[in-house]
Amino acid sequence: MPRTPNAPSTLSSPFAGRRIRAAVVGAGAIGRGSHLPALARLAAEGETEVVAAVDIDAKAVEAFRAEAGIPHAYTDLDRMLAEQRPDLVTVCTPPTLHRDQTLAALRAGAWVWCEKPPVPSLADFDAIEAAEGTDGGPYASIVFQHRFGSAATHVRRLLARGALGRPLVAHCQTTWYRDTAYYAVPWRGRWATEGGGPAMGHGIHQMDLLLDLLGPWSEVRGMAARLVHDVETEDVSTALVRFGNGALATVVNSVLSPDEVSRIRIDCERATVELTHLYGHSNEDWRITPAPGVPAVEAAAWQDFGPDVPSSHLAQLRELIASMRAGERPRSSGPDGRTSLELITALYRSAFTDTTVRAGEIGPGDPYYTALHGGAAGWAPGEREEVPA
């Protein structure tokens, strides 16, 4: 089951009695539409203040600064870090930039909240973890907002205490649709800049939530294909996953599906848990169906998800700020954040080598440790296979 957070640091919090000074790196859609609103909401509650924005496009970052009322705009990250000394840096740039920007922020003493996909490889992730603080931060956390919210918290607790019985069978589905125009953006669909296809850039959210609910995975057998799009990466993948607790799961990630849906289903000994949504969930998107013979009073208690807190950047950021003030490693950072990237890496290795991959097998010296394509013929850049007509 999900790990126990680190105990609070014995050091006094450097953030006590004041707002968290935040900087947004990347003035594009995710920064404008998700990070900034979450920061603004917490600013209204006295928790944060946005002190700077950074983007290589001077006009874009100045417009971003003016619209949001941010005091300072920069085109140079290092200069911003030196002059503003933010407590928290939110990284909203393409994946290929995440490693260097995260490392720069950590070395400047700032905590980091980085959009998914976190980085293009396990080697990059391990380099970031090595640069984190050792007692009370700074730490780097990944945006895995689907873990957060009232319903996910409720179901996680039910599973953790065994109320629903042993998990047996699970299904994890991210079947979305992306057209040719979507892949016209230069960094999409390329190993070097996006890291991977829908397993990495789309299905990572549902796979991360599944892992957060069920705990560690032990082995995976995967398949991947390019069926439609003229890209380097796959546009569909499937996998069979075995968990440490014995549960078996199927995983489907696609950008070829006109009827879009995100879904998780977990069949336990005493109940089935189902989540059906698209890009975010609330209490009403979850359903718990008790097995025959479960007492009605107990089954009714399972349906009490509490006040509705939807999954969102805001829900995760609120918990991250609390972790900063407590000097704790936040969820979705360190080993807790790495497990999803390791599963995705193993899925690709399995698909491209036609083997079963076990947790912990991919490390330094393995070609998949530094690139998700692993140099596989037909998949590595410059070695395109023919796409079936």
Side-chain angles (χ1 to χ4, degrees):
M1 300 310 298
R3 64 173 184 81
T4 301
N6 288 5
S9 169
T10 56
L11 302 176
S12 60
S13 172
F15 313 117
R18 66 174 180 86
R19 293 172 181 259
I20 301 292
R21 292 166 47 82
V24 180
V25 180
I30 196 69
R32 291 173 179 271
S34 297
H35 286 243
L36 191 59
L39 287 163
R41 174 65 178 273
L42 292 184
E45 298 175 9
E47 290 287 344
T48 63
E49 60 176 322
V50 181
V51 298
V54 183
D55 197 284
I56 58 172
D57 186 327
K59 291 183 178 179
V61 74
E62 176 56 30
F64 184 68
R65 182 207 66 77
E67 291 168 12
I70 299 171
H72 304 284
Y74 291 84
T75 57
D76 185 287
L77 174 61
D78 290 331
R79 181 182 172 190
M80 184 280 292
L81 292 169
E83 293 183 0
Q84 298 303 321
R85 308 297 299 176
D87 305 312
L88 172 66
V89 171
T90 74
V91 177
C92 314
T93 53
T96 188
L97 303 174
H98 289 177
R99 170 181 166 148
D100 288 347
Q101 292 174 340
T102 297
L103 288 174
L106 287 171
R107 289 165 180 161
W111 292 52
V112 178
W113 192 36
C114 181
E115 267 298 329
K116 63 82 187 167
V119 282
S121 72
L122 288 171
D124 291 331
F125 191 96
D126 290 348
I128 288 172
E129 188 175 357
E132 292 179 321
T134 57
D135 186 7
Y139 299 114
S141 180
I142 308 163
V143 176
F144 281 144
Q145 75 272 20
H146 287 203
R147 289 190 187 192
F148 298 82
S150 51
T153 299
H154 176 65
V155 170
R156 185 184 308 109
R157 288 171 178 167
L158 290 176
L159 289 167
R161 71 171 191 255
L164 307 182
R166 185 164 53 99
L168 304 171
V169 184
H171 175 68
C172 180
Q173 175 184 355
T174 305
T175 44
W176 295 356
Y177 185 81
R178 297 294 184 265
D179 60 14
T180 302
Y182 176 83
Y183 284 103
V185 176
W187 59 266
R188 289 179 177 152
R190 299 178 182 274
W191 295 109
T193 49
E194 192 169 20
M200 182 68 155
H202 303 84
I204 189 171
H205 276 307
Q206 296 313 296
M207 288 189 282
D208 178 75
L209 177 56
L210 185 71
L211 289 169
D212 194 50
L213 295 173
L214 288 185
W217 63 277
S218 61
E219 60 180 313
V220 60
R221 185 69 187 242
M223 298 179 70
R226 278 189 298 252
L227 300 181
V228 173
H229 294 293
D230 184 20
V231 293
E232 291 180 355
T233 64
E234 87 287 1
D235 54 18
V236 62
S237 69
T238 63
L240 301 176
V241 182
R242 188 188 306 275
F243 284 80
N245 58 19
L248 299 178
T250 61
V251 176
V252 181
N253 303 300
S254 166
V255 288
L256 310 178
S257 308
D259 184 8
E260 296 185 291
V261 69
S262 304
R263 179 177 292 124
I264 285 178
R265 172 178 170 136
I266 303 173
D267 295 320
C268 302
E269 292 173 309
R270 307 186 70 222
T272 291
V273 176
E274 294 177 276
L275 165 64
T276 303
H277 67 116
L278 188 54
Y279 299 137
H281 53 81
S282 58
N283 286 357
E284 66 181 10
D285 298 313
W286 294 73
R287 183 173 65 179
I288 301 177
T289 303
V294 172
V297 173
E298 186 176 8
W302 295 345
Q303 310 301 327
D304 183 8
F305 293 92
D308 193 6
V309 178
S311 67
S312 65
H313 283 69
L314 175 61
Q316 182 174 0
L317 181 60
R318 195 184 297 280
E319 186 171 309
L320 173 58
I321 295 298
S323 295
M324 291 179 68
R325 294 195 183 282
E328 298 175 349
R329 174 178 285 284
R331 292 172 59 202
S332 76
S333 71
D336 185 46
R338 190 183 191 276
T339 183
S340 298
L341 181 58
E342 185 187 7
L343 174 60
I344 292 166
T345 305
L347 188 160
Y348 283 119
R349 182 182 178 214
S350 174
F352 299 156
T353 62
D354 193 27
T355 59
T356 297
V357 179
R358 291 171 176 79
E361 283 188 353
I362 302 175
D366 188 308
Y368 289 88
Y369 181 69
T370 53
L372 294 191
H373 56 72
W379 287 99
E383 299 180 348
R384 285 291 313 277
E385 67 178 4
E386 291 297 319
V387 178

